[in-house]
Structure formats: C-alpha cells, structure tokens
Amino acid sequence: ENDHIPGAVLLNEDNWEYLLAKFMEKWKQDFKVIVYCDSQSCKTSKYVAQRLQDELQLENIYTLHGGWQTWMIEQNQ
C-alpha cells in the first residue's frame, strides 16, 4: 500500500484476468486511467495501457512518464 499512488488498482499481465475484474469493479466511464510502473525503464505500463485500449475499447488511458519514482519525487518537493 505504501508503494502505490493512493487509489491505485494493481493491474499487470501476470494475473490479467483476476486483476482486470478488480479494476473493472472500480472503473467508471468518465475516469481518466493513468497506468504506471515503478520506474522509467519499465515498459509494462505501456503494454497494460495498450491492452486496456485494444481489448476493452477504453478511452482516457494514459501512462505516467517516469513511473512511480517520478511521482514520488514530485510528492516530496
């Protein structure tokens, strides 16, 4: 819990079907979804965002440039 942005929902390709159901429980049509990894070098967030767009036809899907590390730096400034 401490290593996630508040309100974040875990979603990865390892447990896609199970985690997708949890994600969909919280998702609302007018939400902007921001997908992030733990670091800038991680590419998983792009794959997850693309999968949400392709498989579920979701709009307003974005990836957080720099990932969680960047978010933490911004929060501590």
Side-chain angles (χ1 to χ4, degrees):
E1 292 294 318
N2 291 334
D3 291 339
H4 294 282
I5 296 172
V9 176
L10 177 62
L11 184 59
N12 61 44
E13 294 190 302
D14 294 336
N15 298 305
W16 182 259
E17 297 300 323
Y18 172 75
L19 295 172
L20 183 61
K22 298 287 184 189
F23 167 80
M24 293 304 292
E25 287 174 8
K26 295 189 176 211
W27 179 80
K28 302 227 184 310
Q29 188 169 1
D30 60 335
F31 278 6
K32 289 182 181 177
V33 176
I34 302 170
V35 183
Y36 66 95
C37 287
D38 63 345
S39 70
Q40 187 169 359
S41 63
C42 176
K43 304 290 184 223
T44 303
S45 61
K46 292 180 187 202
Y47 298 128
V48 168
Q50 190 65 52
R51 200 164 174 186
L52 289 170
Q53 290 172 331
D54 292 346
E55 292 180 17
L56 301 175
Q57 304 299 303
L58 298 184
E59 298 180 8
N60 296 322
I61 308 293
Y62 305 91
T63 56
L64 179 61
H65 181 73
W68 179 78
Q69 290 177 342
T70 298
W71 184 84
M72 286 298 295
I73 290 168
E74 292 295 320
Q75 295 304 303
N76 292 320
Q77 288 186 0

